[in-house]
Amino acid sequence: MGIQKVGIVGFGAMGSGIAQVCAAAGFDVLVRDVEQRFIDRGNERIAASLARVVKSGKLTEDEATAARSRIRGTLALADFGDRELVIEAVVEVLDAKKEVFGQLDAVCGPTTIFASNTSSLTIVEMAATTKRPDRFAGLHFFNPPVMMPLVEIVKAITTSEATVVALRDFVKRLGHTGVVSQDTTGFIVNRLLVPYINSAIRLFEQGGATADEIDQAIKLGLRHPMGPLELLDHVGIDVHYHVANVFFEEFKDANMAPPSLLRRMMLAGHLGVKTGKGIYEYDEKGKRKA
Ligand code: 3HC
């Protein structure tokens, strides 16, 4: 039968996207966040995204309604006792993640698999604090999870082969593609993405080209859907700054270090699409201003 009941901790942009993907694929989904207003906001995000999917003709109205009915919200991790897989998507702070997994470890049965959606932390550092380091892995989705078909399945040195097999099967049933990565900082995609975005910021801050020219060049020259600076605004200046610092700590490689413009943008509160201003400016709907 494989996994049927999925728990998701954290109902932000990633948690709600992952919940939507799971529910649309037929899984029973229980989501936990710390306040009812975050659960309401996550549900609204999913409703808006499902409406787009229906408009695109990829799901019918009935299928979208059925997907929504498979998602329940809770404020209590104590409700996660019957979950077969729990995916954590809370803030990118090690202690916050450890706290979540510590509570889950006491509530969930011994066969439940734990997975973290971390993009920058080390999986074994979380796994080793639980009683199930063999049933602990990374499941790294990409933003927006509904549109991005990749999931990195991250195998820590403690992760068993049976856990990797179960997660490969789970990702396949989502209709996504899983690639297995070892637990090295940044896994596969972010290991390459972080120095790439940093290079684009440096080129921009040194006056090598305008932001638009850099983004146009990459979109038209390499057929990427977004240029690096546009992507940076979508990921969030704060998120990239944090991740780049973690990577620099690990590798001591200057290409990983956040460029100085990033820190200044952070201090100014220019965090990208979510604050209406990053490298570019955006309206309330997140559309780029002309
Ligand atoms: N939900 C549902 N449907 C959506 C959607 C969403 N959230 N976002 C876009 N769509 C649909 C639209 O409805 C539209 O459908 P249609 O073609 O049937 O009309 C279609 O997707 C195209 O959307 P848009 O015209 O609005 O915009 P784009 O063509 O630019 O596509 C995109 C949007 C798929 C996000 C595309 O720009 C893209 O692939 N961007 C790159 C994203 C990326 O690189 N993500 C990885 C970030 S790094 C990361 O996540 C790692 C982390 O650890 C930091």
Side-chain angles (χ1 to χ4, degrees), residues 14 20 48-50 52-53 55-58 117-119 140-144 146-148 189-190 193 225-226 231 235 239 243 287:
M14 292 307 291
Q20 183 180 336
S49 175
L50 280 173
R52 290 178 80 177
V53 178
K55 203 165 158 222
S56 301
K58 290 180 219 134
N117 180 55
T118 183
S119 51
H140 184 216
F141 289 77
F142 292 81
N143 196 15
V146 182
M147 299 302 299
M148 307 306 284
V189 173
N190 280 341
L193 182 65
M226 284 181 177
L231 182 59
V235 167
V239 174
V243 169
K287 282 259 169 267

Side-chain angles (χ1 to χ4, degrees), residues 266-279:
M266 283 270 298
L267 293 171
H270 298 170
L271 305 185
V273 178
K274 62 189 165 195
T275 58
K277 186 164 172 50
I279 298 283

Side-chain angles (χ1 to χ4, degrees), residues 87-94 97 115-123 126 136-141 152 154 183 186-187 190:
I87 305 170
E88 165 279 313
V90 305
V91 285
E92 200 66 350
V93 175
L94 183 62
K97 290 181 189 284
S116 174
N117 180 55
T118 183
S119 51
S120 61
L121 301 172
T122 305
I123 300 299
M126 291 174 261
F136 199 118
L139 265 188
H140 184 216
F141 289 77
E152 290 175 324
V154 185
D183 185 20
F187 317 133
N190 280 341

Side-chain angles (χ1 to χ4, degrees), residues 70-142:
R70 285 192 279 270
I71 304 173
R72 283 174 300 132
T74 179
L75 298 175
L77 282 180
D79 295 340
F80 275 52
D82 67 344
R83 298 294 103 183
E84 292 152 323
L85 167 67
V86 181
I87 305 170
E88 165 279 313
V90 305
V91 285
E92 200 66 350
V93 175
L94 183 62
D95 284 345
K97 290 181 189 284
K98 279 188 184 167
E99 161 85 25
V100 164
F101 286 120
Q103 287 186 42
L104 287 170
D105 216 15
V107 166
C108 296
T111 57
T112 305
I113 296 175
F114 289 174
S116 174
N117 180 55
T118 183
S119 51
S120 61
L121 301 172
T122 305
I123 300 299
V124 74
E125 201 166 354
M126 291 174 261
T129 63
T130 70
K131 293 195 272 319
R132 62 191 81 213
D134 54 326
R135 267 158 293 119
F136 199 118
L139 265 188
H140 184 216
F141 289 77
F142 292 81

